[in-house]
Amino acid sequence: MFENTTFCITTFGCQMNKHDAERLSGLMSSLGSVPVQTNAEADFSIFVTCCVREKADERLMGTVATMKNDPVRPGSPFGKRFVAIGGCIGQRDGQKLLDQLENADVVFGTHNMEALPHLLQEAIEGGMRRAELVDGRAEFHDDLPEDREHPWAAWLPITVGCNNFCTYCIVPYVRGRELSRPIEEIAQQAQAYVDAGVKEITLLGQNVNSYGRDLYGEPRFAQVLDVVSKTGVERIRFATSHPKDLTDEVIERFATLPNLMPALHLPAQSGSNRILKAMNRRYTVEHYRELIEKLRKVCPDIALSTDIIVGFPGETEEDFQATYDLVNEVGYNQVFTFIYSKREGTPAAEMQDDTPREVIQERFDRLVDLVQRNAERLNLEQNQAGVVLPVLVTGASKNDPSILAGKSPRNQTVHARVPQGMSASDFAGSIVDIRIDEAHTWYLWGTML
Ligand code: SAH
Ligand code: SF4
Ligand code: F3S
């Protein structure tokens, strides 16, 4: 049924979705369908969706609606393109999506990706337009085959779901309760990746720091880092960390595990205790600052990044100023700034929200400006000209195949010219030494040694 067909996967949202997309790709490939780059060439257009903010919702609706009149691909065995929607919007909206998007054929959710083939089969054979969802699962599952985007980099989910219920956030409703994967399985999977040539493993979870609570009755993320480190993989990263569960044990691993990269994403969301409380974040800004201090003590050159929400319901100028001060004092290498977006069904959607849009936008712009200035300063300070960094090459720079792009241990983008007669792709997946010549706001420029 799927032989001689083609599929294109479009992914929105977080790393968990990127990993899910790699597994959906693996699943479709294992049935004989062939991945293609564009929807125009595809018999099956598959969307892995995100609903964390309104913009993400709008992007999906817009993209699918505009595909309505696109011609089917030449040689299509069906005379029709099938549109399948999965991921977080699929989980949230189910059947409603089929009512809203007349060219959508199939909807599935975050807990039942394996339903895609039979749903497509019913659509092909019986013209059925159907949504199939399950509420959640009792155990961790990660057993679909995967087509990894880069053979040298792997996402390794250690938990799925979230129990935190930050009041603004839809994720716990669409991803279900937190489930941890047994530590032996994580170790085995990590070893299999290393044996297959993977250089960088990124451990994934909505809150990796609470890993193990459901399985072992206590958090065991530090032990996960230990077993993954023992595989000898070159680079370990992880996302995301919740400040309330970041333990001293985990912090100390930044000093003791040579392959744990000196970079940490630690979402603060706000610098105001009043807002943190209303967000149900369950830490204070004092505690957050203490964590940063400890981290810098054990790993002075650590690159820190964070997420900040501007315009949470009831945010005053004073609250915003506290956030601004926190961002300024910590000095992040990168800050992901978001304007609060109301999500139906979350507690914050019921909170009084009367700050004018323009005021929020002005605060947002002020913060973005600060972030840029700080990133530039930090990049210059941390990367003095002449320093040599091991860079994991990801491929060619977008505009020029003779320039390579890669990542430093602190996860900064590094560019350098490749030697005459060679192309950047010759180095993809290897770690090369690059001497830094210049630091710019969002990248470093250097010379390959
Ligand atoms: N589990 C991770 C990431 C969750 S979503 C964590 O807790 O850090 C990624 C980011 O999106 C969040 O950190 C938050 O800053 C932002 N976000 C989530 N819901 C939002 C909303 N309703 N409006 C604006 N930003 C939101
Ligand atoms: Fe959302 Fe909070 Fe869970 Fe992160 S920890 S996914 S922000 S509820
Ligand atoms: Fe979006 Fe779902 Fe991730 S809502 S941020 S894709 S968990």
Side-chain angles (χ1 to χ4, degrees):
M1 157 135 319
F2 293 99
E3 298 289 332
N4 303 317
T5 66
T6 55
F7 69 95
C8 173
I9 301 187
T10 308
T11 312
F12 302 102
C14 64
Q15 291 158 330
M16 202 59 96
N17 267 14
K18 290 191 184 143
H19 175 69
D20 284 353
E22 291 183 340
R23 294 193 298 153
L24 279 169
S25 179
L27 178 63
M28 292 300 289
S29 298
S30 72
L31 300 171
S33 196
V34 176
V36 289
Q37 293 300 316
T38 63
N39 283 312
E41 306 161 86
D43 297 314
F44 307 113
S45 291
I46 303 165
F47 293 88
V48 186
T49 61
C50 172
C51 54
V52 77
R53 286 171 293 274
E54 200 176 348
K55 274 212 187 100
D57 276 46
E58 285 165 359
R59 268 176 76 196
L60 172 79
M61 300 311 269
T63 313
V64 176
T66 53
M67 284 174 58
K68 204 169 62 190
N69 300 318
D70 289 354
V72 296
R73 80 165 169 105
S76 151
F78 309 117
K80 168 182 163 53
R81 174 175 300 112
F82 292 89
V83 173
I85 301 177
C88 294
I89 300 188
Q91 186 71 34
R92 184 192 61 185
D93 292 350
Q95 177 66 34
K96 219 171 82 189
L97 276 174
L98 296 176
D99 301 338
Q100 285 168 344
L101 293 165
E102 57 181 282
N103 56 330
D105 299 281
V106 160
V107 175
F108 58 103
T110 53
H111 307 292
N112 66 334
M113 294 199 293
E114 66 286 354
L116 179 64
H118 78 247
L119 288 169
L120 285 176
Q121 189 173 351
E122 287 169 21
I124 295 164
E125 288 174 345
M128 304 245 285
R129 295 178 71 225
R130 216 157 67 73
E132 190 169 295
L133 299 178
V134 296
D135 274 348
R137 293 190 115 146
E139 283 175 357
F140 187 97
H141 281 261
D142 192 28
D143 42 12
L144 296 178
E146 65 185 20
D147 276 346
R148 288 200 307 281
E149 186 186 351
H150 300 301
W152 64 88
W155 314 110
L156 203 173
I158 62 166
T159 67
V160 292
C162 182
N163 291 349
N164 290 319
F165 290 94
C166 303
T167 54
Y168 50 82
C169 185
I170 191 92
V171 170
Y173 305 89
V174 290
R175 285 282 173 175
R177 292 297 65 71
E178 184 172 276
L179 291 174
S180 302
R181 179 179 204 168
I183 198 159
E184 301 76 21
E185 240 184 65
I186 297 172
Q188 249 171 27
Q189 181 69 63
Q191 191 61 54
Y193 281 143
V194 173
D195 295 345
V198 165
K199 301 276 174 59
E200 178 173 277
I201 294 178
T202 304
L203 304 171
L204 286 187
Q206 294 301 341
N207 175 11
V208 289
N209 295 320
S210 66
Y211 168 85
R213 242 184 223 139
D214 54 319
L215 280 185
Y216 309 113
E218 59 177 20
R220 291 206 183 157
F221 182 53
Q223 287 69 31
V224 171
L225 290 173
D226 293 342
V227 298
V228 176
S229 178
K230 273 210 194 96
T231 63
V233 67
E234 299 267 358
R235 295 183 167 194
I236 304 171
R237 302 184 189 280
F238 59 85
T240 307
S241 259
H242 195 305
K244 81 176 161 64
D245 297 313
L246 178 59
T247 59
D248 290 351
E249 244 188 324
V250 169
I251 292 176
E252 181 245 328
R253 295 304 190 272
F254 280 101
T256 55
L257 300 179
N259 40 7
L260 179 58
M261 291 295 103
L264 177 68
H265 184 62
L266 194 63
Q269 312 298 0
S270 169
S272 150
N273 281 335
R274 202 179 66 83
I275 296 291
L276 286 171
K277 191 155 200 282
M279 287 175 163
N280 190 32
R281 288 291 288 179
R282 286 175 281 171
Y283 52 83
T284 60
V285 69
E286 290 77 20
H287 178 70
Y288 187 90
R289 283 204 168 93
E290 221 171 274
L291 291 174
I292 301 288
E293 231 169 77
K294 285 184 189 167
L295 283 159
R296 288 231 160 99
K297 206 175 223 170
V298 302
C299 184
D301 64 346
I302 195 164
L304 296 167
S305 57
T306 198
D307 292 345
I308 296 286
I309 298 179
V310 178
F312 185 81
E315 179 189 81
T316 63
E317 179 56 30
E318 203 186 342
D319 295 320
F320 173 73
Q321 194 56 50
T323 301
Y324 188 95
D325 292 344
L326 177 72
V327 170
N328 198 20
E329 276 163 38
V330 172
Y332 294 101
N333 286 72
Q334 203 169 8
V335 181
F336 299 88
T337 44
F338 306 107
I339 288 185
Y340 168 73
S341 171
K342 182 174 171 173
R343 304 286 70 200
E344 285 312 326
T346 62
E350 309 298 319
M351 294 178 192
Q352 185 144 346
D353 186 8
D354 42 22
T355 316
R357 270 317 293 171
E358 318 78 76
V359 174
I360 293 172
Q361 187 65 48
E362 188 277 326
R363 287 178 190 160
F364 182 81
D365 295 345
R366 244 192 295 163
L367 187 63
V368 169
D369 186 55
L370 171 74
V371 167
Q372 292 232 352
R373 278 187 279 129
N374 276 347
E376 186 173 7
R377 179 177 57 77
L378 269 171
N379 244 0
L380 289 169
E381 272 174 26
Q382 290 174 337
N383 303 285
Q384 302 290 334
V387 69
V388 176
L389 297 177
V391 173
L392 175 55
V393 180
T394 48
S397 108
K398 273 195 204 102
N399 315 316
D400 187 344
S402 70
I403 292 178
L404 62 75
K407 291 288 186 180
S408 75
R410 286 197 215 97
N411 217 17
Q412 291 146 313
T413 300
V414 182
H415 292 299
R417 201 168 290 289
V418 295
Q420 282 266 315
M422 301 191 79
S423 89
S425 54
D426 299 335
F427 297 96
S430 22
I431 296 180
V432 299
D433 280 340
I434 292 185
R435 190 191 65 227
I436 301 305
D437 301 321
E438 293 163 25
H440 299 263
T441 313
W442 302 121
Y443 71 96
L444 307 171
W445 175 259
T447 307
M448 253 182 93
L449 298 180

